[in-house]
Amino acid sequence: MTSENDVPADPAEGQPDPAAVAGEHRLSQQVERTGMFGTETTGDTSGYGGLRVRRPDPPATQRPYGSYFDEIADRLAEGLERDGTAFPEVVSRVVVERGELTLHVPREHLVAVARLLRDDPSLAFEMCLGVSGVHYPWDTGRELHAVYPLLSITHNRRVRLEVSAPDSDPRVPSLVGVYPTCDWHERETWDFFGIIFEGHPALTRIEMPDDWKGHPQRKDYPLGGIPVEYRGATIPPPEDRRSYS
């Protein structure tokens, strides 16, 4: 006899029903939006007011990755092993999407991984093409992301490194010592997103005025604006009508 909270078993195998397990997992995921349009200020008139759109788990790709991506992972794993660390400890997640390889790396391992990708002749990622900031307010404990696209001119290959940091401690090691051109890119990412790149030689604003308050590309940054009246209709300023729910 089973309780009502138990996952139904597959009568053929005596194991939990995979569909039921998947359903339970889906119901445990964070609710991203309610209703058809996620409206908060007025009632949902779509007829789907009870709809709960849940945020899926972060994607992860399993082997084989395809293209030259497996070779990059193998050479990186060999180099990490020589340095006394294991690939799963240093690369938390691998994502292959739209023909691009992204390695998610804990911030404490970022510099070591970047240096290995640059210095190992079988990898030879000599160039960092920039630093992009991303703000995910709903990604609790990982709200701020920094993304580094790397290029190997020697092998004509590309890989992307991605690290995250919480809003409460927005610190990521600087890669200026590995890729000097990150100097300006890290300043821009700090300017717009507030990610503090520890070890940067001069982390100052590069786009906004020096006395600017806040970081304007974060999703919680106020847009401001004024209401616009057009033929008797009033359109509120962006600050009053933007929603990321």
Side-chain angles (χ1 to χ4, degrees):
M1 182 175 179
T2 59
S3 69
E4 59 181 11
N5 294 325
D6 291 338
V7 175
D10 184 346
E13 302 291 338
Q15 299 295 325
D17 181 2
V21 172
E24 291 288 335
H25 175 69
R26 185 63 173 157
L27 290 174
S28 70
Q29 293 172 326
Q30 179 186 11
V31 175
E32 177 181 7
R33 190 183 76 238
T34 59
M36 182 62 76
F37 306 110
T39 181
E40 296 178 352
T41 57
T42 61
D44 191 317
T45 59
S46 67
Y48 292 88
L51 178 66
R52 299 290 184 270
V53 178
R54 298 181 182 275
R55 192 176 306 282
D57 293 333
T61 305
Q62 304 301 319
R63 295 262 201 166
Y65 303 134
S67 187
Y68 53 79
F69 302 153
D70 289 279
E71 184 179 348
I72 289 178
D74 290 339
R75 300 293 85 77
L76 180 59
E78 292 169 2
L80 292 170
E81 187 175 351
R82 288 195 300 269
D83 294 339
T85 53
F87 187 87
E89 298 175 7
V90 175
V91 179
S92 58
R93 187 156 49 96
V94 178
V95 176
V96 177
E97 181 72 17
R98 294 178 173 85
E100 298 178 334
L101 173 66
T102 302
L103 305 178
H104 290 256
V105 179
R107 53 183 172 175
E108 61 269 22
H109 296 297
L110 174 63
V111 174
V113 171
R115 183 172 287 114
L116 181 56
L117 288 170
R118 183 196 66 180
D119 294 344
D120 191 311
S122 64
L123 296 167
F125 286 93
E126 307 98 337
M127 182 178 293
C128 180
L129 302 176
V131 184
S132 299
V134 194
H135 183 213
Y136 299 112
W138 56 82
D139 194 4
T140 305
R142 305 172 66 253
E143 292 88 355
L144 293 168
H145 291 232
V147 184
Y148 304 80
L150 306 181
L151 169 66
S152 171
I153 300 173
T154 301
H155 303 297
N156 191 24
R157 293 177 172 180
R158 295 173 185 264
V159 68
R160 183 187 295 112
L161 297 180
E162 185 166 341
V163 297
S164 63
D167 264 336
S168 58
D169 183 24
R171 300 176 183 274
V172 171
S174 172
L175 284 189
V176 172
V178 181
Y179 296 106
T181 54
C182 284
D183 186 337
W184 298 273
H185 301 301
E186 289 181 352
R187 286 178 59 193
E188 183 179 37
T189 305
W190 144 251
D191 196 355
F192 286 151
F193 291 92
I195 299 176
I196 300 171
F197 293 93
E198 292 190 308
H200 190 284
L203 194 62
T204 56
R205 292 194 183 272
I206 192 171
E207 298 282 354
M208 307 304 292
D210 289 340
D211 59 352
W212 192 268
K213 304 297 183 184
H215 305 281
Q217 285 192 354
R218 291 173 55 103
K219 289 186 172 66
D220 55 5
Y221 187 83
L223 286 177
I226 60 175
V228 177
E229 185 173 333
Y230 178 71
R231 293 188 177 181
T234 300
I235 302 173
E239 177 62 20
D240 294 339
R241 52 189 164 93
R242 182 178 73 166
S243 173
Y244 286 94
S245 62

